[in-house]
Amino acid sequence: MTIRKYLNNKYNLLFVIAILVFVFINAPIITRPPVDEHSWRQTDTAAVIRNFQEESPNIFQPRIDMRQNHSGITGMEFPAYNYIVYLLNIIFGFQHWMGRVVTMLFSIIGLFLFFEFLKIRFNQREALLSSLLLMIFPIYIIFSKNIQPDIMMISLVIGSLYFAQKYRDSKRKLFILIAAALFSLACLVKIPAVMLLPVFLVIVPFEKKDRNLVAAILAIFIMLIASWYLYSNFLSRNFGLGEYFYGDYSLATTLAILPRYSFWFTISRYIFIKEFIFGLSLPFLFFGAWEFYNKKEFLPLIWFFCSGLFLVLFASKSYYHNYYSLILLPPLAILLSKGLLWVSDILKKANLRAWKVLCIILLLSSIIIIPALIYKRLSYNKLNNYQLNLLVLEKLVENKVPSNALIATNGNGSPAMLYFSHRKGWSLSNSNFLNSNGPVLANLGVGYILLYDPPAELQNKILNENYTLIVSKDRSYLFKLNN
């Protein structure tokens, strides 16, 4: 199908226009280094990318900057996203922001596949409205340009569902192979995708003639996924950094968090979207769910349930990191879309005038909201003092700290200061420094200490423990261990 023929369809044309607006909203900060939302997670991802280029291109040995005095090799999700960005950096030259371009491309691909999947699964109206809702959810907007693999995972899952549906409709074996490969890669890129396996299986037909083929394909890819995470566990246990990437995901931690009101309040904000542009989304969510249930179309309901179940089972992750809620957004968009269209159709039949008023309200809301979203994106161009400080750290330490020297920062557990100073070592809190002894740090190989806006008490402690202040600029202080 040619582009012209594709755009002759009004739904396709409106979708393409929406995509262009979506890109325009995010374009103003596409070349910004990873100093904004979740800079700690973005710089962790970017560090692996840069270390592929500077230390080793071995995809099976990803290395981080916050490595203490170890090699930096650690267990993590399969670094396919990091490696794609690394390859682009090889071609075009290293840029801090190259990962944003990759994320944006995956975001656009994911939206396109979402639109096409819903067209063949449901209809064009629901496909268009669901896609529009997905691309204006605030969390989706934020992470559609962050240097993180989450959007890649979402896009791969959606792609797997699209090709699974194509297989269901055509029975072409190529489609089920592509679908299984995409779903497996999604699970490798981010483990939450595993929770969506029931959604995948709802689409794939299990008739007798298909059963053996599907079972064999799934078995192969499940073995690949299990092999990587077992190997990842080996890296974590044998290279000194422990469960750096995975952290605490124990059942005991989840059970301790679940009784908290604040947890359920956080989850409710993921579901009902604090800044959702149509205001009260709860009735439309229920209307959509009820309509799908009545029509015995359970895919959106299972998708929503599995996503929500992940947020509950891994409360230690979803409570603190809002990007884990991204898997919830596609089914949420589908349910809300169904509810909105159901209400619209009832109004149109019962009271044409009321329906026209609703359409006018939605149109006016869009006219107001789209410029507001653009303004909000543009307003992020202004950086605070800490973010501006990060951007000059490498220049601050160059010619003063050897590139292979280990440093300690007061990044409070974030690798951002290490990443932007282009050095390896520790990210500690002010209290960590105050409660430690200088010789302990020196014995670990800490020749330099880089602090941002430290309290006077900490500065004096560092000076009294055989370190000398060699440079200070604005709120940054660099200390060197005396020989």
Side-chain angles (χ1 to χ4, degrees), residues 356-371:
K356 289 180 178 179
V357 170
L358 175 64
C359 291
I360 292 172
I361 291 173
L362 294 178
L363 179 62
L364 291 176
S365 298
S366 300
I367 292 172
I368 295 170
I369 288 158
I370 290 175

Side-chain angles (χ1 to χ4, degrees), residues 17-215:
I17 292 172
I19 285 289
L20 294 175
V21 173
F22 175 78
V23 173
F24 179 70
I25 289 172
N26 286 280
I29 57 174
I30 200 70
T31 58
R32 172 181 288 178
V35 294
D36 46 12
E37 299 97 341
H38 291 286
S39 63
W40 63 272
R41 184 63 174 89
Q42 292 194 74
T43 50
D44 234 1
T45 306
V48 175
I49 294 166
R50 186 168 63 187
N51 291 334
F52 277 139
Q53 190 166 353
E54 295 182 347
E55 294 188 271
S56 169
N58 187 345
I59 195 171
F60 298 107
Q61 292 189 339
R63 301 165 189 259
I64 60 172
D65 285 349
M66 202 162 69
R67 61 182 60 177
Q68 302 171 24
N69 56 351
H70 301 291
S71 66
I73 297 172
T74 186
M76 59 182 293
E77 292 122 346
F78 186 66
Y81 170 86
N82 313 65
Y83 216 76
I84 291 171
V85 182
Y86 152 67
L87 293 175
L88 289 176
N89 281 334
I90 292 294
I91 297 170
F92 298 107
F94 177 80
Q95 301 288 347
H96 287 296
W97 46 265
M98 186 63 74
R100 293 193 189 276
V101 176
V102 173
T103 302
M104 179 59 70
L105 289 174
F106 273 111
S107 179
I108 294 169
I109 292 169
L111 287 168
F112 175 77
L113 290 171
F114 186 62
F115 177 62
E116 293 297 319
F117 167 62
L118 296 183
K119 279 202 305 184
I120 59 177
R121 180 78 187 189
F122 304 127
N123 58 64
Q124 295 186 103
R125 274 204 320 161
E126 290 182 32
L128 178 61
L129 184 54
S130 299
S131 301
L132 292 175
L133 290 174
L134 179 58
M135 70 177 71
I136 62 175
F137 286 154
I139 295 177
Y140 194 87
I141 292 175
I142 289 172
F143 292 102
S144 63
K145 44 70 185 168
N146 270 21
I147 305 172
Q148 299 177 225
D150 302 82
I151 288 292
M152 179 180 177
M153 179 267 286
I154 296 296
S155 299
L156 289 169
V157 168
I158 293 171
S160 72
L161 300 183
Y162 169 74
F163 281 102
Q165 186 67 43
K166 295 278 284 184
Y167 171 72
R168 184 186 187 95
D169 295 340
S170 68
K171 295 298 188 294
R172 288 186 60 188
K173 295 180 181 178
L174 176 63
F175 289 144
I176 189 59
L177 288 171
I178 295 174
L182 291 177
F183 189 83
S184 300
L185 184 55
C187 296
L188 290 170
V189 169
K190 288 285 289 187
I191 193 63
V194 171
M195 293 294 295
L196 301 181
L197 180 60
V199 184
F200 181 82
L201 296 179
V202 164
I203 299 175
V204 177
F206 270 90
E207 299 169 9
K208 188 174 182 180
K209 59 181 179 181
D210 302 304
R211 195 174 302 156
N212 292 338
L213 172 65
V214 173

